[in-house]
Amino acid sequence: MSVSHCLTGDKVAIDAFLDQFDVFLFDCDGVLWSGNHIFPDVPETLDMLRNRGKRLVFVTNNSTKSRQDYKAKFDKAGIQANVEEIFGSSYSAAIYIARILDLPADKKKVYILGESGIEQELASEGIKYCGGTDPNMRRDIEQEDFDALADGSALDPEVGVVLAGLDFHVNYLKLAYGLAYLQRGAVYLATNTDSTLPMSKSFFLGAGGVGAPLVTSFGKEPLSLGKPSQAMLDAVEAKVKMDRSRTCMIGDRLNTDIRFGIDGKLGGTLAVLTGVSKKEEFLADGAETVPAAYVEKLSDLLG
Amino acid sequence: MSVSHCLTGDKVAIDAFLDQFDVFLFDCDGVLWSGNHIFPDVPETLDMLRNRGKRLVFVTNNSTKSRQDYKAKFDKAGIQANVEEIFGSSYSAAIYIARILDLPADKKKVYILGESGIEQELASEGIKYCGGTDPNMRRDIEQEDFDALADGSALDPEVGVVLAGLDFHVNYLKLAYGLAYLQRGAVYLATNTDSTLPMSKSFFLGAGGVGAPLVTSFGKEPLSLGKPSQAMLDAVEAKVKMDRSRTCMIGDRLNTDIRFGIDGKLGGTLAVLTGVSKKEEFLADGAETVPAAYVEKLSDLLG
């Protein structure tokens, strides 16, 4: 049985832990900040890691924002980060489609259920798309749509992928297009399948909720490009040079972040207690997902 | 192991079978018609049963139509039916809420995810509702909505039930309201949970698809008031006087119609082969759901 070590307040243990890794993958919400509240001494902690020569990658399931959008969030929080250090699930999907998925030449277009963040990231990899924020799709479904979807005349024959993410403008028409493409054999991907979205100190529908109609009506699950799916780690690896044995995942959620690192056979995982999971969950006898180490808060790594 | 008997062409067996029952519950699509195509001699078959003194009840999972709306479909098809003979899943839900569910006096309002058929049926039982076709709900969600849903100020304190049905005008705002009411303890009902909707000779998103975001994001399944849920049979029974042992369910789908009759311990089930299920499915060794008898088409009952 694995045991998680507390690093908080133990400078020798912290140094030994950090020395094991060249790359740190960071979850953001619950680690760097909670909503609009920035945790103390986060910039200093990241600076310390960079000064030690560590490579930092911020891995987020947020699919509505592009890396550029997400960078603005870092700026606003007063946390220094480069676009190259940010890895969102939309970008993960774009990398996966462009560099890992082997689509036939005439089936390279992506039908998007989602917002502009997905569009920007697909464009950044030169991938053609339709759906998404297209204003023509923001309307009620009509009988002619049913007919034209059923006989296929409404469909773009180049579409070979359906990519579902968080869409605040979801409607029946957009879902019906997605389902029709899936029924015709499109590859079924999701930026992430988080069932809920933390907002305004409550929980709303996440990408997994908004996309659930396709899962239910099509009868199959998508391949997720977000944590804890290993497809996201494959996508990170397709972009970031890293030795998994010298990479550590830092996160607040056992079932996504820590699971992501363990399944990916990373050299280490570090839990922070400023988010969702409590230490009792992984210190309990028979706990399923146990991080290699934990700190009360990220800045405890400053020693 | 039960064996299904073929009645087609066997007048003696037909008479003996019909004599066992006073009430016949009919599925409609796949039994009386398929889309706009009416099967031959359906009116004559129904007349024959009525002339023998049988009570007929048409049991449909269609939730977008009220009984009155559905009666118009019968009229158009040239099939005689009274509104009292029609039992849709919206009406089933209304009966269930009004006569079976015991709601606190200050929690009797229903939040609807669905179309006017549900509204009409709730109104017919004197049930107050919100959501549904409210034009104020047909818009994008805004930050103020997130805040007002999170702190509850947007919510109607009288709502004690969320009722999800097929909604062609589904959007994030309506789903977010539904989720917020569920999170505050509303009873979770669905008119039906059919994953697909047959339309224009293809399959679109059914009530179970459209409502799937609530299931995924809330993390619980609704009680369905449509076939094969026994709650629908309870609702039929709350309205129609019937002796289950002298009632027969007629339908084309093993996993909904026939399962509905078997689970309800009805006296009999009769499959027709003009719809989804094939006889090979229930004649096979070890078949799970086996109708007591079957005919090639409904009018075979004319002998």
Side-chain angles (χ1 to χ4, degrees):
Chain A
M1 211 184 82
S2 45
V3 175
S4 190
H5 298 282
C6 180
L7 303 182
T8 293
D10 185 342
K11 200 160 172 42
V12 173
I14 291 169
D15 280 339
F17 187 81
L18 296 181
D19 283 347
Q20 294 176 60
F21 310 109
D22 303 318
V23 178
F24 286 88
L25 306 182
F26 279 85
D27 176 42
C28 301
D29 200 61
V31 178
L32 309 179
W33 55 65
S34 174
N36 291 324
H37 173 68
I38 318 301
F39 296 130
D41 299 327
V42 165
E44 292 78 0
T45 312
L46 301 183
D47 283 349
M48 176 273 290
L49 291 170
R50 287 192 183 101
N51 290 339
R52 283 184 170 220
K54 311 298 184 188
R55 170 106 197 234
L56 310 186
V57 184
F58 302 99
V59 179
T60 168
N61 276 4
N62 186 320
S63 72
T64 60
K65 290 186 166 63
S66 66
R67 287 162 298 157
Q68 206 67 53
D69 295 336
Y70 217 67
K71 164 82 163 73
K73 185 164 182 176
F74 275 79
D75 291 345
K76 205 176 148 199
I79 301 176
Q80 195 219 320
N82 305 317
V83 168
E84 291 67 38
E85 290 177 325
I86 297 170
F87 211 93
S89 62
S90 290
Y91 186 54
S92 172
I95 294 287
Y96 186 84
I97 293 166
R99 308 189 188 190
I100 298 175
L101 200 60
D102 196 17
L103 293 167
D106 59 344
K107 287 283 179 193
K108 286 195 176 293
K109 200 180 272 187
V110 175
Y111 175 78
I112 298 172
L113 181 72
E115 300 286 348
S116 67
I118 301 181
E119 294 177 338
Q120 292 173 53
E121 296 298 16
L122 292 186
S124 79
E125 287 289 310
I127 301 164
K128 289 190 288 183
Y129 59 81
C130 58
T133 64
D134 181 351
N136 295 320
M137 301 290 284
R138 293 192 178 169
R139 61 176 179 83
D140 292 343
I141 193 166
E142 307 287 347
Q143 184 58 51
E144 305 88 75
D145 296 308
F146 283 111
D147 296 339
L149 286 166
D151 70 19
S153 60
L155 300 173
D156 186 329
E158 283 185 58
V159 168
V161 175
V162 169
L163 174 58
L166 183 53
D167 190 344
F168 293 120
H169 302 84
V170 65
N171 63 30
Y172 194 98
L173 183 72
K174 291 165 109 176
L175 292 167
Y177 268 82
L179 181 60
Y181 283 120
L182 292 175
Q183 287 166 339
R184 280 164 180 77
V187 175
Y188 186 16
L189 304 179
T191 56
N192 63 307
T193 55
D194 298 37
S195 59
T196 57
L197 173 74
M199 285 272 281
S200 305
K201 296 185 186 168
S202 185
F203 290 98
F204 289 86
L205 300 109
V210 166
L214 295 181
V215 177
T216 298
S217 297
F218 185 51
K220 285 184 194 159
E221 299 277 346
L223 174 68
S224 168
L225 275 303
K227 295 173 287 182
S229 167
Q230 291 302 302
M232 189 181 210
L233 199 52
D234 292 341
V236 172
E237 213 171 25
K239 180 77 188 175
V240 178
K241 264 213 141 33
M242 64 185 218
D243 172 352
R244 289 197 186 200
S245 72
R246 292 195 53 84
T247 298
C248 176
M249 175 73 207
I250 303 181
D252 69 309
R253 294 181 72 138
L254 297 178
N255 61 352
T256 49
D257 303 318
I258 304 304
R259 175 51 49 200
F260 180 68
I262 292 173
D263 287 352
K265 301 196 179 357
L266 298 187
T269 52
L270 177 73
V272 298
L273 301 178
T274 44
V276 169
S277 298
K278 308 288 160 219
K279 67 180 168 191
E280 289 71 23
E281 296 171 46
F282 56 78
L283 294 180
D285 272 356
E288 254 186 58
T289 304
V290 181
Y294 68 97
V295 284
E296 298 285 340
K297 57 185 187 300
L298 186 67
S299 60
D300 289 351
L301 292 178
L302 290 170
Chain B
M1 212 183 82
S2 47
V3 174
S4 190
H5 298 282
C6 181
L7 302 182
T8 293
D10 186 343
K11 200 160 173 41
V12 174
I14 291 169
D15 280 339
F17 187 80
L18 297 181
D19 283 348
Q20 295 176 60
F21 310 110
D22 303 320
V23 178
F24 286 88
L25 307 181
F26 280 84
D27 175 44
C28 301
D29 200 62
V31 177
L32 310 179
W33 55 64
S34 173
N36 291 323
H37 172 67
I38 319 301
F39 295 131
D41 300 326
V42 164
E44 292 79 358
T45 312
L46 301 182
D47 284 347
M48 176 275 289
L49 291 169
R50 289 193 183 99
N51 290 338
R52 283 184 170 221
K54 311 300 187 190
R55 169 106 197 234
L56 312 185
V57 184
F58 301 99
V59 180
T60 169
N61 275 5
N62 188 319
S63 70
T64 60
K65 290 185 166 63
S66 66
R67 287 163 298 156
Q68 207 66 53
D69 294 336
Y70 217 64
K71 165 82 164 73
K73 186 165 181 173
F74 275 79
D75 291 345
K76 207 175 147 199
I79 301 175
Q80 197 220 316
N82 305 317
V83 168
E84 290 68 37
E85 292 177 325
I86 297 170
F87 210 95
S89 62
S90 290
Y91 186 53
S92 173
I95 294 286
Y96 186 85
I97 293 166
R99 308 189 187 191
I100 298 176
L101 200 60
D102 197 17
L103 293 167
D106 59 345
K107 287 282 179 193
K108 286 194 176 295
K109 199 179 273 189
V110 176
Y111 175 78
I112 299 173
L113 180 72
E115 300 286 347
S116 67
I118 300 181
E119 294 176 340
Q120 292 172 53
E121 296 297 18
L122 291 185
S124 79
E125 288 289 311
I127 302 163
K128 289 190 288 183
Y129 59 82
C130 58
T133 64
D134 181 351
N136 294 322
M137 301 291 282
R138 293 192 177 169
R139 61 176 178 83
D140 291 344
I141 192 165
E142 307 286 349
Q143 184 58 50
E144 305 87 75
D145 296 308
F146 283 111
D147 296 339
L149 286 167
D151 70 19
S153 60
L155 300 173
D156 186 329
E158 283 185 56
V159 168
V161 176
V162 169
L163 174 57
L166 183 53
D167 190 342
F168 293 120
H169 303 84
V170 65
N171 63 31
Y172 195 97
L173 183 72
K174 291 164 108 177
L175 292 167
Y177 268 82
L179 181 61
Y181 283 121
L182 292 175
Q183 286 166 341
R184 279 163 183 77
V187 175
Y188 186 15
L189 304 179
T191 57
N192 64 306
T193 54
D194 299 36
S195 59
T196 57
L197 173 74
M199 285 273 280
S200 305
K201 298 184 183 166
S202 186
F203 290 97
F204 289 86
L205 299 109
V210 166
L214 294 182
V215 177
T216 298
S217 296
F218 184 52
K220 284 184 195 159
E221 299 277 344
L223 174 67
S224 168
L225 275 303
K227 293 172 290 181
S229 167
Q230 291 302 301
M232 189 182 209
L233 199 53
D234 293 342
V236 172
E237 213 170 25
K239 180 77 187 175
V240 178
K241 265 214 139 33
M242 65 185 216
D243 173 353
R244 290 197 187 202
S245 72
R246 291 196 53 82
T247 297
C248 177
M249 176 72 206
I250 304 181
D252 70 307
R253 293 181 74 139
L254 298 178
N255 62 350
T256 51
D257 304 316
I258 304 304
R259 175 51 49 201
F260 180 68
I262 292 172
D263 287 351
K265 302 198 183 349
L266 299 187
T269 51
L270 178 71
V272 297
L273 301 179
T274 44
V276 169
S277 297
K278 306 291 160 219
K279 66 180 168 191
E280 289 71 25
E281 296 172 45
F282 56 79
L283 295 178
D285 273 357
E288 254 188 59
T289 304
V290 181
Y294 68 97
V295 285
E296 298 285 340
K297 58 185 185 299
L298 186 67
S299 60
D300 289 352
L301 292 177
L302 291 170

